[in-house]
Amino acid sequence: MCRGPACSDIDRAVGTAQWFDRSAHARSSMKKTCKSAMLNRIWQASRRAVNLEHSPPHVFACSQWQNGTKPATFYFIYRWIVFLTVLCVGISSFACQRLPRLYDGPRVELNYLKWFIYFTNWGYLLIILQAGLAIAVVHRYRAQKTFNIPCEDEEIPMSRRQRTPLLCRAYWLAHTVATDLAFVITLIYWTLVHDPRIHDINTLNLLVHGGNSILMLVELMITAHPVRAAHAVFGAGAGLTYGVFSAFYWSVGGTDRIGLPAIYPALDWNKPGSALGFVALCAVVMMFAHGAATCVSCLRVKIAARIMPARADRLALPTH
């Protein structure tokens, strides 16, 4: 058994080493715990940003420019006008299909069902869908007698908040994707797709490739619900979904309305590199389009805050 000053020094050294080992282990455990907690916070924040929850939900039935919390009559009428207009344009676009005026190729028998293979028409169907869902939301809240709206100083924990109704979430999603697609369709069509030899410039063409963006821009300025930056993933996802559909359609021998193997010349899967590049370009442009929509929505809120501050405050409640 070791005794004396030398042994005491050894014992102190061993104790110090053990203390450092324990401290290092504690620091390592703390770092892992902090890292895990940080990753969990980032994950939860990302989920909240992407989800379709918003409080109070009645803003989906209101205009930014009305007083009160019940849907205004003028907004109710506006919603019906928009729905009937886009429905009539959509039906006309489907029913009035014909070969381009300058088409000089072989005789082709038009297949009306091929109307559904075009990205433009996917976008327009979404515009019709969001207009119909908007009417349903307005009808729901016009029939509702009271609104459970928290006071401005009252903060309700997430666990106690009611979920946003499915109808409102469906409308919000359809509106978001329809807006992004409208902007991208207008831009891509007139810069990369339009060919005077096969595309006529007529009223219907202008309505579905230009009127779509004008309408959704007006919608952004009239409605009261927010536009979240993180929701750009929905529009980009829709664009990528169409890219997958076009590749599958080409792989099973599908053709466009005049018998060509590519739905769009720029989306020709006989040239997979250029087709993938076009899909990627559309997805990137979709993100920028959503950024523009977000800016328009913020501008609407700022203008409303100056003109109608009381109304703006009542709509600026927590969004998560």
Side-chain angles (χ1 to χ4, degrees):
M1 186 173 179
C2 182
R3 295 179 180 178
C7 291
S8 297
D9 291 342
I10 293 174
D11 290 339
R12 282 196 297 271
V14 171
T16 302
Q18 290 176 345
W19 181 84
F20 275 114
D21 286 342
R22 288 195 298 270
S23 298
H25 179 71
R27 285 195 298 270
S28 176
S29 300
M30 186 178 296
K31 285 182 180 178
K32 290 181 180 179
T33 303
C34 291
K35 185 177 180 180
S36 177
M38 183 179 297
L39 290 174
N40 185 58
R41 285 183 181 180
I42 293 172
W43 170 248
Q44 293 299 331
S46 300
R47 285 186 58 189
R48 287 196 299 271
V50 175
N51 70 22
L52 292 165
E53 296 294 330
H54 180 78
S55 178
H58 73 268
V59 298
F60 294 100
C62 297
S63 169
Q64 186 78 58
W65 312 102
Q66 69 171 67
N67 292 312
T69 56
K70 191 171 184 179
T73 301
F74 84 85
Y75 187 65
F76 175 71
I77 296 172
Y78 163 80
R79 292 264 51 115
W80 270 105
I81 291 175
V82 168
F83 175 69
L84 293 176
T85 301
V86 297
L87 182 62
C88 289
V89 172
I91 292 173
S92 299
S93 175
F94 177 81
C96 298
Q97 298 181 68
R98 62 182 179 83
L99 290 174
R101 181 170 48 85
L102 299 178
Y103 175 74
D104 59 357
R107 182 177 177 82
V108 177
E109 194 70 31
L110 288 178
N111 182 344
Y112 278 71
L113 292 179
K114 287 188 177 181
W115 185 88
F116 295 96
I117 69 174
Y118 290 95
F119 193 47
T120 294
N121 300 329
W122 280 35
Y124 210 83
L125 284 173
L126 275 171
I127 290 177
I128 297 173
L129 175 63
Q130 69 87 28
L133 289 172
I135 289 179
V137 172
V138 171
H139 272 284
R140 169 180 176 149
Y141 284 97
R142 275 178 69 87
Q144 190 167 320
K145 300 298 182 182
T146 59
F147 297 91
N148 185 20
I149 304 173
C151 298
E152 293 180 9
D153 297 331
E154 181 181 357
E155 184 173 346
I156 302 178
M158 278 296 300
S159 59
R160 289 175 50 199
R161 291 183 193 162
Q162 293 184 347
R163 293 204 67 187
T164 303
L166 178 61
L167 180 61
C168 295
R169 283 182 281 147
Y171 162 62
W172 196 9
L173 176 61
H175 182 276
T176 298
V177 178
T179 301
D180 295 352
L181 263 59
F183 293 164
V184 171
I185 287 168
T186 297
L187 177 64
I188 296 296
Y189 178 79
W190 293 109
T191 56
L192 298 178
V193 174
H194 178 72
D195 184 348
R197 295 172 298 176
I198 59 175
H199 299 129
D200 291 336
I201 297 181
N202 52 36
T203 302
L204 273 177
N205 194 358
L206 293 174
L207 285 173
V208 299
H209 293 111
N212 57 341
S213 291
I214 295 173
L215 172 63
M216 297 315 295
L217 188 60
V218 171
E219 287 274 81
L220 287 173
M221 292 301 298
I222 294 293
T223 55
H225 60 79
V227 177
R228 274 192 206 155
H231 287 179
V233 297
F234 297 138
L240 292 175
T241 299
Y242 182 80
V244 173
F245 162 77
S246 66
F248 172 78
Y249 184 77
W250 167 81
S251 69
V252 296
T255 60
D256 71 351
R257 60 176 180 164
I258 59 176
L260 297 176
I263 300 176
Y264 294 105
L267 195 58
D268 186 354
W269 288 100
N270 289 305
K271 305 171 184 177
S274 61
L276 284 171
F278 182 72
V279 172
L281 173 65
C282 288
V284 172
V285 174
M286 200 86 68
M287 304 288 278
F288 281 101
H290 188 81
T294 305
C295 291
V296 172
S297 176
C298 292
L299 178 63
R300 178 199 72 213
V301 173
K302 287 184 179 295
I303 294 174
R306 286 180 175 271
I307 299 175
M308 308 170 67
R311 174 60 184 158
D313 290 343
R314 294 301 289 166
L315 292 177
L317 293 171
T319 61
H320 298 102

